[in-house]
Amino acid sequence: GLDLVLVPNLVGFTIRDAQSRLESIGSLRLFATCSDCATQADSLNAIIISQSPVVGDSNKVSLGSTITVIAAMNTPREFILE
């Protein structure tokens, strides 16, 4: 059967941190869009504000899946992790 892994929570992380999280899980890919990023550096430092598939109690994806995220530079306060 397919190897399944729990969907990791990436909301509140930077794209850079999200990429390293996915690498540590292994073979999950990240597809990120950022509407207000101007540069590559912006893109890495933007904060993820939503993701698909979302995190669920038993929400699993097969290895090799892509997690799609939306990130923003001007992140609303409630998304910043303390």
Side-chain angles (χ1 to χ4, degrees), residues 15-65:
I15 291 174
R16 179 186 280 122
D17 288 345
Q19 279 171 336
S20 54
R21 275 201 99 179
L22 292 188
E23 279 160 21
S24 71
I25 294 166
S27 64
L28 288 180
R29 288 190 283 274
L30 186 71
F31 180 78
T33 55
C34 175
S35 53
D36 57 355
C37 292
T39 65
Q40 186 66 38
D42 280 358
S43 298
L44 289 173
N45 293 313
I47 305 282
I48 294 168
I49 55 173
S50 75
Q51 71 177 63
S52 173
V54 296
V55 177
D57 291 334
S58 57
N59 215 357
K60 294 184 176 175
V61 289
S62 53
L63 290 174
S65 296

